[in-house]
Amino acid sequence: MKDAKLSDSEKTLMEILWEKERAFMKDILESYQEPKPATTTVATLLKRMQNKDLVGFKLYGNSREYFPKVAKGEYFKEEMSSMINRFFNSSVTQFASFFTSNAKLSQNQLKELREIIDQQIDEK
């Protein structure tokens, strides 16, 4: 999955697959909001995602049941690591400083973050 980035359209489709876990084309199309994309558009996206090894399928006659090959949490972890590497010189500390300074967090949210960090420190 390394460097398997998703476009915005692919992310929308992947969200559907993560939610459904397994889905046929008709199920996928039904999950889209209006205006729904064309079947050919979704088929093209699925093919690209298969080439990136993010989506697989099982064949039932002429129908394909699609499923995600990567968990949502794992994909998100890779995306965050990539972003931290690109924008913050691989420094989680720089990312945390930027995030806490720019995310407009309330005092309660900052305290919750501190508790999470303290818990991680205690576990290590």
Side-chain angles (χ1 to χ4, degrees):
M1 189 198 87
K2 198 72 171 164
D3 296 327
K5 302 290 179 222
L6 293 172
S7 68
D8 289 343
S9 298
E10 291 169 338
K11 284 178 187 170
T12 300
L13 176 51
M14 200 67 182
E15 287 288 345
I16 292 169
L17 290 174
W18 281 323
E19 181 182 321
K20 293 193 167 297
E21 296 179 3
R22 303 185 84 74
F24 291 95
M25 180 64 78
K26 68 175 183 63
D27 302 318
I28 293 169
L29 289 169
E30 287 173 1
S31 296
Y32 274 95
Q33 295 180 356
E34 295 293 340
K36 296 183 186 294
T39 303
T40 53
T41 301
V42 175
T44 299
L45 292 172
L46 285 165
K47 181 65 177 161
R48 278 195 275 182
M49 293 161 67
Q50 289 169 49
N51 292 340
K52 294 177 183 182
D53 203 31
L54 297 172
V55 171
F57 67 88
K58 186 171 181 181
L59 206 52
Y60 293 95
N62 291 333
S63 297
R64 292 179 181 196
E65 183 181 43
Y66 296 94
F67 56 89
K69 292 178 76 175
V70 62
K72 185 176 185 176
E74 186 63 30
Y75 180 79
F76 184 69
K77 184 172 91 176
E78 289 288 330
E79 281 282 294
M80 288 300 298
S81 293
S82 176
M83 183 192 69
I84 290 169
N85 291 340
R86 276 188 318 224
F87 296 111
F88 300 98
N89 299 318
S90 301
S91 171
V92 175
T93 305
Q94 283 182 16
F95 166 73
S97 176
F98 176 84
F99 176 73
T100 55
S101 297
N102 293 287
K104 297 181 180 149
L105 300 172
S106 69
Q107 189 171 10
N108 281 342
Q109 290 170 319
L110 287 167
K111 285 179 182 177
E112 288 174 9
L113 278 174
R114 184 185 326 162
E115 289 172 10
I116 291 168
I117 292 169
D118 288 345
Q119 181 181 353
Q120 289 293 313
I121 290 169
D122 291 344
E123 289 176 7
K124 295 190 185 218

